[in-house]
Amino acid sequence: MRWRQPLGPAGVSGEIKVLTQRTDLVQSGAMKRYADEFNKVYPKVKVTFEGITDYEGR
């Protein structure tokens, strides 16, 4: 196995989805502001949020 130097924040890319029970923060735009701050460090990562209310999957 060959050792690779870590990419650093600018070299990280992809998508993440954050599940949260705080639907109020998703609807108010607070989570979007969190993602905006995250993207200042990780600009190539797409962040989405999903507010869940059906905890039992019914």
Side-chain angles (χ1 to χ4, degrees):
M1 179 186 280
R2 185 174 176 193
W3 176 258
R4 288 184 1 175
Q5 189 69 14
L7 296 173
V12 176
S13 63
E15 297 182 16
I16 59 173
K17 179 184 279 191
V18 179
L19 300 178
T20 179
Q21 82 280 9
R22 293 298 307 269
T23 57
D24 58 323
L25 296 179
V26 175
Q27 294 170 353
S28 73
M31 292 297 193
K32 170 74 169 91
R33 292 190 294 277
Y34 294 147
D36 292 343
E37 289 298 314
F38 179 86
N39 285 140
K40 289 179 181 178
V41 178
Y42 299 97
K44 297 177 187 172
V45 177
K46 179 181 177 184
V47 182
T48 58
F49 295 92
E50 182 177 334
I52 57 171
T53 57
D54 183 8
Y55 306 113
E56 295 181 12
R58 294 181 186 182

